[in-house]
Amino acid sequence: MQISAFLRNIRVLQVLAQILFVLLLALAAGFFYANVTTNLARQGLAVGYDFITNPASFDIGESYISYEPSDSYGRALLVGLVNTLVLSALGILLTTIVGIIAGIARLSSNWLISRLAAAYVGVIRNTPLIIQLMFWYFGIVLQLPSVREAMALPGSIFLTQRGVYLPKLDPTPTFDSWRIFIWIALVSIALIWFSFRLIQYRTELPVPLWAYLAYIVVPILILWVGFVIQPEAPLTENLPALTGLNFRGGLRLTPEFTALLFGLVLYTGAFIAEIVRAGIQAVSRGQVEAALSLGLTRAQALRLIIFPQALRVIIPPLTSQYLNLAKNSSLAIAIGYPDLFSIAGTVINQTGATIEVIVIMMLSYLSMSLFTSLLMNIYNSRMRLVER
Amino acid sequence: MSEIDQSQEIIIARDVHKWFDSFHVLKGINLEVKKGEVIVIFGPSGSGKSTFIRCINRLEEHQKGQIIVDGLELTNDIRNIEAIRSEVGMVFQQFNLFPHLTVLQNIMLAPTWVRRVSKEQSQETAMQLLKRVGIPEQANKYPGQLSGGQQQRVAIARALAMQPKIMLFDEPTSALDPEMIKEVLDVMIQLAKTGMTMLVVTHEMGFARAVANRMFFFDEGQVVESGTPEEIFKNPQEDRTKLFLSQILSH
Amino acid sequence: MTAIEMQPPRLSVGPFAWLRKNLFSTWYNVLLTILALALLYALLRPALQWALTEARWGVIAANLTLFMVGQYPRDQLWRVWLSIYLLSVLLGLSWGIWKHAARGFALIGLGAGFAFALIGLLLNSNVWINWLVAVALLFGFYALGRILPKRARSITSLAWLLYFPLVILLIAGARFIPFLSPVPTNLWGGLLLTLMITIIGNVLSLPLGILLALGRRSKLPVVRYFSIGYIELIRGVPLVTVLFMVSLLVPLFLPLGMPTPEAVIRAIIGFILFEAAYQAENVRGGLQAVPRGQYEAAQALGLSGPLTTALIILPQALRAVIPAIFNSFISLFKDTSLVSIVGLFEILRIGRSVLAQSEWLGTHREVFLFAFLIYWGFNMAFTYGSRRMEEAMGVGRR
């Protein structure tokens, strides 16, 4: 009698259920593990992370850190990770701008502009990203004129099928001493922010619009002062110039990078446009009317009332779009940009260390996701409207 | 007054304590209900009255003391819990009808699936119950299409469909517009007259006066006072009881 | 005192007024409008000119079957047509029986049928006959559906549920059925492959997603952490990595004797595992929307946990998030374009192989545009149909 009563206890049943679940999982895991080891042994593939230090022996099209084929596989994977991060960071910056512009355009009173923005969103959102990337790569970037007949844009920018050439600034020996001024400029921005808060706190007046210029003017002033007092200019121009068959100098963006950046920015921008539009529309009309009837100008109402409230609605889905951009960068494999995923694929092909490399790759992407989620959670909890 | 079986105590609560995290909500409740009795529990909000009756059908779990329903003690034993739940019916303040089912389906659901009664049988019983609570014509409507008073009456029918021995009412009329309170109370009074054991948490003192056998005043997790409606209304002993009664009877 | 009726002032109504208000209201709007019009003209004129005169649409015509069904055996194509006809029948019946809810999809079916028939005619392919038959079936069964009694509703719903497994059987075939010889999945390609992956992926990912969502809300910590772990892991990585991983690892995980599942099967498994995590989040939103009182009422009535979930909670939860679930269905369709990366022959990959043919060198723009239109067209169609259905069901709005 004791045992059956024990087995009917709710608590006991819950614990038993969990034990059963864990047992099933363990059984499945054990089964798969056994299969994996047998299969790997049969194929003569090694298990373990030893391959990481072996020389990679393959070339990588572009990289932001130094890389030679004699470097290790580990280094190769790192190159991929950096490539992904750089592309994602730049992409996030640009797509935000594009998305905000498109979102505001959607709400424009100009019928043509709002319809064009709607068309942009409707077409881009409803077609697969991979098609768009291929369009940008095969259809546009590779169709650019050859190096000899490069399309020149003002400011020494050249568009060719070998890539986009931009002017670059090179550091000179005096760059190190100028760097101090960069730090001072950054600190000055923080100081300005603090003093604004302090003034607002003390006087309870909002900061007038013209005062925000200080954020721009003061750092630039500091940088300029630092610039001119140096004996030699800290930075020199490095302009691309056609010499012989190729361009020398300047910064070169590969066709792959350009197409990928364009495609990702426009694709994610369409989603961000909708988010921005929904966010602005989510602020009820009553808020605008109340603000206007209090005597605020339209611009002030926008800045003080609508914008903060819209931001609350916009930020969470916005960060998940940023995450999508970072994840979608893995489509680089379709057009040959050496991102983390494509390099991981190459490494797997060459070493056969399938599981190990996959684990490294997944962990990298997961870290990016978790980091972004963390930032968003922090932002969310600080911005939550205090409600009853 | 209906027949009260003096020999049978159908609900016994002995020194029942309950905590919500560190908040001590029930501080030693002692209570006995005999078969066929109509008990009214009243008191200020937060006094633990709802929590207590929800302990009786294990919607809340008490941490100390004993609750014995129809001879079965309420423990973690799943068989006891299921047996007790099938004998105790409950009517909620928010009705809690199932919005995706028709009125008839709401009432038929439990007998069909829990008691394994045939569909025709449960449909027949359901229609009878609907007639009993006075709204047979609403059988094929959805809860959203009914008024509050009608919904609560359906909720009562739904609980009765399981042929419970005890009916618990958790502030059944508090969410109703004033003009609909009477129709629900009428059904409850009718039910009381058939000899159903009822435990009712309510502020409706008229109902208490009409059919309650005994009343319990809860305050801050304890039974402050108990007695027949006569005793409570004419001659409240405790100050707190007097204070509360003056507050709710004045308006 | 009689009311005075006056006409509004001349300049505030009529087409000129509309132009003034919407396009030329302020100075910067005037500027914007002019710029936009200039841009449109600069882009559209050469594009249209190319499309109508220079483009060699023959590349599509010659390879139409390839684009549509890949390498599917040509003598077995009747099975594909049978699936399409069955779909027309079901659409027509549903339109007749449910009228408004199904009207969106039915109209799409009609539109698609007519459009494809037209394209068939233009490209000199005989398929226009088949498409017109499909349209006729739709209309015919619509008429039938209108006069059927109410009992037909449940039968038709059952038919829909059976339709998808039936299509899978028709297309894939099975060894023990006389007319349906097995067609190995590596012969599936083109639009057929895309649609099959979408259907199977959607059908199987939703139940798994529901289980995960329930697991995430479970009181048992082990189950809960497992569910959360799975969901966050999948949502944190790109789809291609999941497809890649499943493709590579499934053979490793299977015991020695078992044959390696074909690439298409592996891709489908990848999609199921991936979509399930996202559907789990959708369902979780729905579960959170069901009030606690529903659980309590069910408990008080003596319903066990599983019964409560199945009869009371899930119907309400799912109903609340149908728009989100449909959105996931539609985005899966777009995502199937990625299977080219794991070696499957969906439309894009077929396009690339067509471009390699010497006859059609240089027609990449035509091929690309075709693939683009197919994906975009189907996407818009699904979106429109599901939006109409949601409206008719009164779903997604409280």
Side-chain angles (χ1 to χ4, degrees):
Chain A
M1 224 38 220
Q2 280 289 59
I3 301 188
S4 61
F6 177 72
L7 285 176
R8 289 192 319 248
N9 189 323
I10 281 194
R11 293 283 140 68
V12 174
L13 284 175
Q14 286 178 341
V15 171
L16 280 180
Q18 291 184 76
I19 294 181
L20 190 65
F21 187 73
V22 171
L23 271 176
L24 283 175
L25 276 185
L27 269 175
F31 175 68
F32 288 130
Y33 182 73
N35 289 337
V36 168
T37 37
T38 6
N39 284 324
L40 283 181
R42 272 189 73 230
Q43 295 176 32
L45 295 168
V47 174
Y49 283 91
D50 310 320
F51 69 92
I52 285 275
T53 45
N54 294 345
S57 331
F58 63 88
D59 203 6
I60 298 182
E62 51 185 296
S63 159
Y64 295 96
I65 58 179
S66 69
Y67 175 78
E68 297 294 319
S70 52
D71 285 330
S72 64
Y73 283 116
R75 181 108 186 144
L77 286 172
L78 188 63
V79 168
L81 181 60
V82 172
N83 283 354
T84 298
L85 287 175
V86 169
L87 182 73
S88 304
L90 197 54
I92 287 177
L93 195 65
L94 293 175
T95 196
T96 312
I97 299 175
V98 168
I100 291 182
I101 295 179
I104 295 181
R106 274 285 265 128
L107 296 170
S108 165
S109 55
N110 186 322
W111 181 89
L112 194 60
I113 297 291
S114 80
R115 283 288 165 270
L116 278 180
Y120 158 64
V121 169
V123 167
I124 299 287
R125 269 171 27 129
N126 284 311
T127 34
L129 176 57
I130 195 171
I131 292 192
Q132 298 181 35
L133 287 179
M134 294 198 158
F135 169 72
W136 287 110
Y137 187 61
F138 293 110
I140 304 280
V141 172
L142 287 186
Q143 303 295 327
L144 285 175
S146 69
V147 168
R148 292 270 189 85
E149 296 141 25
M151 196 189 295
L153 292 180
S156 283
I157 302 177
F158 296 97
L159 304 174
T160 76
Q161 63 179 194
R162 289 265 204 93
V164 172
Y165 293 92
L166 302 168
K168 197 164 74 158
L169 293 170
D170 282 332
T172 64
T174 55
F175 183 74
D176 283 324
S177 20
W178 187 56
R179 246 213 306 232
I180 306 174
F181 285 89
I182 299 183
W183 286 115
I184 299 180
L186 285 174
V187 169
S188 72
I189 294 182
L191 281 176
I192 295 177
W193 184 75
F194 264 125
S195 38
F196 276 176
R197 302 276 284 187
L198 204 62
I199 298 176
Q200 263 189 310
Y201 182 64
R202 286 288 172 77
T203 63
E204 297 195 3
L205 291 171
V207 178
L209 200 51
W210 55 262
Y212 279 106
L213 284 173
Y215 278 118
I216 304 178
V217 169
V218 171
I220 288 189
L221 211 59
I222 296 178
L223 289 175
W224 180 75
V225 164
F227 207 84
V228 262
I229 70 174
Q230 302 291 343
E232 192 192 332
L235 298 168
T236 53
E237 270 187 337
N238 189 339
L239 298 173
L242 185 56
T243 46
L245 288 173
N246 218 336
F247 273 92
R248 288 279 175 78
L251 182 67
R252 176 176 168 248
L253 301 175
T254 60
E256 292 77 25
F257 180 85
T258 318
L260 194 57
L261 190 65
F262 245 82
L264 280 176
V265 165
L266 281 180
Y267 184 75
T268 319
F271 288 88
I272 293 183
E274 280 299 284
I275 293 173
V276 167
R277 181 183 68 89
I280 295 181
Q281 285 181 327
V283 181
S284 65
R285 289 217 86 232
Q287 297 284 312
V288 183
E289 292 171 356
L292 290 177
S293 61
L294 280 173
L296 296 173
T297 67
R298 241 209 138 80
Q300 282 174 322
L302 208 75
R303 186 165 64 98
L304 298 168
I305 308 292
I306 301 184
F307 193 60
Q309 292 188 59
L311 215 56
R312 241 178 271 271
V313 177
I314 289 176
I315 299 284
L318 190 67
T319 42
S320 85
Q321 282 307 320
Y322 288 162
L323 203 55
N324 281 343
L325 190 144
K327 288 192 286 180
N328 283 334
S329 68
S330 55
L331 289 182
I333 197 175
I335 62 175
Y337 177 73
D339 78 312
L340 177 62
F341 180 61
S342 65
I343 291 187
T346 315
V347 172
I348 289 182
N349 268 335
Q350 293 203 324
T351 62
T354 321
I355 300 181
E356 290 82 354
V357 175
I358 285 184
V359 167
I360 295 178
M361 185 180 57
M362 302 289 240
L363 281 179
S364 309
Y365 281 113
L366 260 183
S367 315
M368 283 191 251
S369 309
L370 288 177
F371 179 68
T372 317
S373 302
L374 197 70
L375 283 182
M376 184 176 73
N377 279 336
I378 295 178
Y379 180 86
N380 255 349
S381 44
R382 290 189 57 208
M383 292 297 277
R384 242 203 313 232
L385 276 175
V386 180
E387 284 182 344
R388 212 149 59 86
Chain B
M1 284 299 162
S2 53
E3 286 280 323
I4 298 177
D5 187 345
Q6 285 291 349
S7 59
Q8 262 239 346
E9 248 121 35
I10 200 167
I11 303 179
I12 302 175
R14 280 198 205 114
D15 194 34
V16 173
H17 289 259
K18 178 167 174 59
W19 287 263
F20 278 129
D21 290 329
S22 54
F23 175 53
H24 197 174
V25 59
L26 293 177
K27 299 174 183 162
I29 305 288
N30 286 293
L31 200 83
E32 275 138 32
V33 180
K34 299 196 176 46
K35 198 164 192 287
E37 272 197 295
V38 174
I39 306 286
V40 165
I41 300 180
F42 68 107
S45 64
S47 54
K49 19 183 234 301
S50 290
T51 312
F52 176 67
I53 69 163
R54 287 151 65 94
C55 283
I56 296 185
N57 68 351
R58 202 56 158 197
L59 284 184
E60 301 284 353
E61 191 184 317
H62 62 283
Q63 278 106 354
K64 194 161 165 242
Q66 285 176 308
I67 297 183
I68 302 172
V69 177
D70 200 20
L72 292 169
E73 185 177 346
L74 198 52
T75 60
N76 274 330
D77 188 328
I78 206 172
R79 244 205 332 214
N80 281 9
I81 297 179
E82 286 175 356
I84 291 177
R85 279 204 183 134
S86 67
E87 291 185 16
V88 175
M90 185 152 184
V91 175
F92 299 85
Q93 182 178 357
Q94 301 292 342
F95 331 139
N96 289 337
L97 291 180
F98 305 132
H100 59 295
L101 303 173
T102 63
V103 160
L104 204 60
Q105 287 167 335
N106 260 278
I107 304 178
M108 287 167 56
L109 183 79
T112 316
W113 287 94
V114 181
R115 288 257 164 84
R116 314 230 147 240
V117 175
S118 75
K119 255 186 105 171
E120 294 77 29
Q121 180 67 27
S122 39
Q123 186 162 345
E124 217 187 286
T125 324
M127 279 310 295
Q128 281 174 0
L129 285 169
L130 272 181
K131 287 202 192 88
R132 195 168 145 191
V133 300
I135 38 172
E137 71 282 358
Q138 309 287 353
N140 289 314
K141 293 233 185 99
Y142 283 91
Q145 296 167 293
L146 269 55
S147 75
Q150 291 170 326
Q151 289 189 50
Q152 193 63 298
R153 287 190 273 163
V154 171
I156 297 177
R158 181 178 67 173
L160 288 176
M162 290 293 280
Q163 295 170 320
K165 292 189 185 151
I166 303 169
M167 283 284 278
L168 303 175
F169 291 83
D170 186 3
E171 305 213 31
T173 56
S174 299
L176 294 175
D177 289 336
E179 63 269 15
M180 292 190 269
I181 294 182
K182 181 178 184 304
E183 63 194 61
V184 174
L185 288 181
D186 284 342
V187 169
M188 290 166 66
I189 292 176
Q190 278 241 341
L191 190 59
K193 296 209 171 114
T194 65
M196 171 70 75
T197 313
M198 291 163 65
L199 224 64
V200 184
V201 173
T202 184
H203 299 298
E204 295 294 323
M205 294 300 143
F207 171 79
R209 248 190 275 262
V211 281
N213 297 110
R214 273 186 300 153
M215 296 173 66
F216 286 83
F217 176 58
F218 268 55
D219 193 13
E220 296 195 358
Q222 289 175 305
V223 177
V224 172
E225 193 171 339
S226 71
T228 68
E230 275 253 333
E231 292 162 8
I232 294 286
F233 289 128
K234 297 248 175 68
N235 207 358
Q237 301 287 334
E238 301 287 333
D239 285 334
R240 283 190 280 177
T241 323
K242 290 185 196 157
L243 178 62
F244 184 74
L245 283 175
S246 71
Q247 285 168 335
I248 65 167
L249 288 178
S250 61
H251 77 278
Chain C
M1 179 132 111
T2 53
I4 303 176
E5 279 252 8
M6 295 198 318
Q7 292 285 7
R10 217 31 168 17
L11 283 177
S12 66
V13 289
F16 277 123
W18 184 89
L19 279 177
R20 257 187 77 209
K21 182 160 162 271
N22 286 310
L23 295 178
F24 300 110
S25 50
T26 66
W27 65 267
Y28 59 82
N29 264 342
V30 174
L31 205 62
L32 280 175
T33 307
I34 295 179
L35 272 176
L37 285 174
L39 193 70
L40 275 178
Y41 185 71
L43 286 177
L44 284 182
R45 190 171 157 276
L48 279 173
Q49 193 176 23
W50 168 83
L52 293 174
T53 56
E54 295 167 17
R56 292 159 57 195
W57 295 110
V59 64
I60 310 293
N63 296 294
L64 192 58
T65 322
L66 204 61
F67 276 116
M68 290 291 113
V69 294
Q71 304 274 20
Y72 203 83
R74 299 299 183 250
D75 57 332
Q76 298 290 320
L77 280 181
W78 61 270
R79 288 147 77 165
V80 178
W81 284 113
L82 184 58
S83 311
I84 297 180
Y85 292 151
L86 282 176
L87 183 64
S88 306
V89 165
L90 277 177
L91 272 180
L93 269 180
S94 308
W95 187 17
I97 296 179
W98 280 292
K99 299 187 188 53
H100 283 130
R103 191 164 63 170
F105 281 114
L107 287 179
I108 300 236
L110 279 181
F114 277 125
F116 289 139
L118 190 64
I119 295 177
L121 266 177
L122 284 176
L123 294 177
N124 273 321
S125 159
N126 273 330
V127 294
W128 66 271
I129 306 175
N130 301 49
W131 284 115
L132 283 184
V133 169
V135 168
L137 278 175
L138 221 175
F139 268 127
F141 277 88
Y142 166 62
L144 182 65
R146 288 189 65 170
I147 57 178
L148 283 179
K150 269 234 168 154
R151 295 217 72 203
R153 285 198 178 206
S154 34
I155 301 180
T156 320
S157 306
L158 191 62
W160 270 114
L161 275 179
L162 289 178
Y163 174 70
F164 297 108
L166 186 63
V167 164
I168 298 174
L169 189 63
L170 270 178
I171 303 289
R175 231 162 287 155
F176 40 84
I177 304 184
F179 285 108
L180 301 178
S181 55
V183 176
T185 59
N186 60 339
L187 293 182
W188 298 5
L191 187 56
L192 174 69
L193 179 65
T194 302
L195 286 176
M196 290 304 286
I197 295 181
T198 310
I199 292 176
I200 303 177
N202 278 329
V203 162
L204 292 180
S205 66
L206 187 54
L208 184 56
I210 293 177
L211 281 178
L212 281 170
L214 290 173
R216 195 178 170 146
R217 286 167 58 95
S218 165
K219 283 189 299 230
L220 310 177
V222 168
V223 177
R224 196 168 62 233
Y225 289 135
F226 175 78
S227 305
I228 293 181
Y230 178 89
I231 294 175
E232 292 304 312
L233 174 69
I234 297 285
R235 277 164 51 98
V237 296
L239 173 55
V240 276
T241 56
V242 174
L243 289 178
F244 193 64
M245 184 177 74
V246 171
S247 259
L248 289 181
L249 294 184
V250 162
L252 280 183
F253 278 133
L254 291 178
L256 275 179
M258 256 178 96
T260 308
E262 294 160 10
V264 172
I265 306 281
R266 281 178 280 164
I268 291 179
I269 295 178
F271 274 109
I272 293 174
L273 293 177
F274 186 77
E275 250 338 88
Y278 286 83
Q279 292 286 35
E281 286 297 281
N282 291 337
V283 174
R284 182 168 83 110
L287 288 173
Q288 280 177 333
V290 178
R292 258 215 115 232
Q294 295 290 305
Y295 287 93
E296 295 183 346
Q299 270 185 315
L301 283 173
L303 286 170
S304 68
L307 266 186
T308 310
T309 309
L311 294 175
I312 308 295
I313 307 298
L314 272 185
Q316 295 184 54
L318 290 178
R319 196 146 202 276
V321 290
I322 283 184
I325 291 181
F326 277 6
N327 272 343
S328 288
F329 283 169
I330 295 175
S331 74
L332 181 59
F333 176 75
K334 267 199 315 174
D335 289 337
T336 56
S337 56
L338 295 179
V339 295
S340 53
I341 294 184
V342 281
L344 299 183
F345 279 92
E346 51 72 62
I347 300 180
L348 266 183
R349 197 99 191 271
I350 290 189
R352 298 261 279 269
S353 69
V354 162
L355 283 177
Q357 296 170 3
S358 54
E359 217 186 322
W360 300 111
L361 274 179
T363 56
H364 44 265
R365 269 177 284 192
E366 291 83 336
V367 169
F368 166 84
L369 198 62
F370 178 67
F372 176 88
L373 283 175
I374 295 268
Y375 274 110
W376 186 75
F378 268 83
N379 213 323
M380 294 302 282
F382 287 153
T383 311
Y384 174 74
S386 65
R387 201 68 56 77
R388 283 306 213 95
M389 196 160 107
E390 288 162 22
E391 274 172 15
M393 286 168 64
V395 153
R397 262 181 286 124
R398 294 216 118 251

